[in-house]
């Protein structure tokens, strides 16, 4: 597979051109506040299939449909009062909601991986909103990287992994949040499926009750649940106090290291730096040791990504 990839500016002309490419069945990488997404027309089987081809992604892993807001989402899923409350509090933003698929939604079954539910999100990034507005419909968009590899937070990361495999990349600079969206299942009791850029504590507070926690039985119900995921080429060793011979060190807090997620111990800064620093350390060709990260707030999302990066490769 090959495509003549072009770089597009993050202006209205670039976003309009991106929408034209999407309407023609092409693939466009664009920035969100979390990571860069690889977009395709969510209602086109052929276009969505090309996402899996470009990413070498297993077809049983569902995708997120990106929408402008709640009005568009409510045409795709069976909207609920809980969904409305969470969307009102956190959309646009790094929160994905999983809801029952609406009858006649028209979304490709490749987006849902054949499930009866759909993951929807309204991204906050102005470029993502401009592309969605110009396109006028849902855009299926997993992270714009080869499947299982480190997620991209800059256009350069996308270019390194997908150049020649997609039609266009909209260069909107570095992503501010830096880890993927938090995913909440609303098909039954509100349940945290994947920690992400919105801390679960904020969602608990909005709901007035704690989220249930997903216990995996091996079934993939939402993106980002594969055991080995977000992985660099080199092996990753977690909770390291110091590097071993032949390792590079990814630090957190006041430690000696090659790159530091946040010298001050700020989890928001650490999340924003996570994938970019992993890309940089992976380029050294050496194994990566990682400092302990607190399991609180955004630390849960960071640790989730790191555990998947360190998991045994299939």
């Amino acid at each position: 597979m090959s495509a003549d990839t072009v770089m597009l500016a993050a202006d209205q002309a670039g976003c309009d051109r991106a929408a034209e490419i999407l309407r023609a069945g092409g693939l466009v990488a664009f920035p969100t506040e979390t990571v860069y997404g690889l977009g395709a027309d969510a209602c086109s089987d052929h276009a969505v299939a090309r996402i899996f081809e470009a990413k070498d992604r297993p077809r049983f892993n569902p995708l997120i449909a990106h929408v402008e807001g709640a009005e568009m989402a409510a045409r795709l899923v069976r909207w609920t009062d809980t969904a409305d409350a969470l969307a009102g509090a956190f959309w646009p933003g790094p929160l994905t909601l999983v809801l029952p698929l609406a009858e006649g939604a028209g979304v490709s079954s490749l987006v849902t991986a054949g499930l009866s539910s759909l993951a929807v999100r309204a991204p906050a990034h102005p470029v993502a909103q401009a592309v969605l507005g110009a396109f006028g419909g849902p855009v299926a968009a997993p992270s714009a990287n080869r499947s299982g590899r480190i997620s991209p937070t800059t256009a350069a990361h996308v270019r390194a992994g997908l150049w020649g495999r997609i039609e266009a990349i909209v260069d909107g600079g570095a992503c501010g949040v830096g880890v993927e969206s938090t995913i909440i299942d609303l098909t039954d009791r509100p349940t945290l499926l994947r920690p992400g850029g919105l801390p679960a504590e904020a969602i608990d507070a909005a709901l007035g009750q704690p989220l249930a926690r997903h216990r995996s039985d091996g079934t993939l119900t939402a993106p980002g649940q594969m055991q080995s995921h977000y992985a660099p080429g080199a092996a990753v060793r977690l909770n390291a106090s110091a590097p071993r011979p032949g390792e590079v060190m990814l630090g957190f807090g006041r430690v000696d290291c090659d790159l530091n997620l946040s010298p001050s111990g700020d989890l928001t800064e650490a999340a924003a730096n996570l994938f970019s620093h992993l890309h940089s350390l992976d380029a050294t060709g050496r194994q990566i040791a990682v400092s302990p990260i607190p399991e609180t707030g955004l630390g849960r999302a960071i640790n989730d990504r790191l555990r998947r990066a360190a998991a045994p490769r299939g």
Side-chain angles (χ1 to χ4, degrees):
M1 178 190 62
S2 64
D4 294 327
T5 307
V6 297
M7 298 296 297
L8 299 175
D11 54 16
Q12 193 59 54
C15 293
D16 288 345
R17 178 61 185 140
E20 290 175 3
I21 292 169
L22 291 170
R23 281 192 287 271
L27 302 184
V28 178
F30 58 90
T32 77
E33 72 278 19
T34 58
V35 300
Y36 271 71
L38 178 58
D41 179 353
C43 297
S44 167
D45 289 336
H46 182 266
V48 175
R50 289 197 56 220
I51 290 178
F52 294 100
E53 185 180 13
K55 284 176 61 71
D56 296 325
R57 182 184 179 103
R59 300 209 173 195
F60 48 77
N61 200 355
L63 307 178
I64 296 171
H66 289 64
V67 296
E68 282 190 271
E71 182 178 350
M72 184 183 290
R75 298 198 294 265
L76 306 176
V77 296
R78 297 207 297 272
W79 202 243
T80 65
D81 289 344
T82 302
D84 206 52
L86 291 179
F90 302 115
W91 275 12
L95 174 66
T96 293
L97 303 176
V98 178
L99 290 145
L101 189 64
E103 186 175 351
V107 173
S108 168
S109 62
L110 292 174
V111 177
T112 64
L115 299 173
S116 60
S117 58
L118 175 68
V120 290
R121 177 166 100 85
H125 198 292
V127 173
Q129 280 288 323
V131 171
L132 289 165
F135 179 65
V139 173
S143 55
N145 58 316
R146 301 290 282 273
S147 187
R149 301 304 300 273
I150 306 169
S151 295
T153 56
T154 67
H157 295 158
V158 180
R159 181 172 183 143
L162 295 178
W163 191 261
R165 301 174 73 87
I166 65 177
E167 276 69 28
I169 302 168
V170 184
D171 187 352
C175 301
V177 175
V179 293
E180 289 84 358
S181 61
T182 302
I183 300 180
I184 305 299
D185 185 356
L186 295 181
T187 58
D188 192 9
R189 178 185 174 187
T191 300
L192 178 66
L193 296 182
R194 180 181 75 180
L198 179 65
E201 292 88 342
I203 303 169
D204 292 343
L207 292 173
Q209 63 179 8
L211 290 162
R213 295 303 196 264
H214 176 67
R215 294 185 179 180
S216 177
D217 59 0
T219 301
L220 295 174
T221 57
Q225 294 182 315
M226 296 182 70
Q227 183 178 14
S228 179
H229 206 47
Y230 316 109
V236 176
R237 182 170 64 91
L238 303 181
N239 298 314
S241 57
R244 294 171 179 167
E247 290 182 333
V248 287
M249 184 78 180
L250 179 62
F252 177 80
R254 296 183 178 179
V255 297
D256 290 330
C257 58
D258 296 276
L259 284 176
N260 201 313
L261 291 170
S262 174
S264 65
D266 183 313
L267 289 170
T268 300
E269 180 184 20
N273 286 331
L274 177 61
F275 290 133
S276 179
H277 283 8
L278 282 174
H279 276 287
S280 295
L281 293 178
D282 193 34
T284 69
R286 299 162 67 186
Q287 295 189 6
I288 302 170
V290 185
S291 291
I293 310 293
E295 191 74 27
T296 58
L298 284 178
R300 292 193 181 96
I302 296 168
N303 282 318
D304 173 77
R305 305 309 189 273
L306 288 170
R307 282 189 290 269
R308 294 175 192 275
R313 315 291 167 81

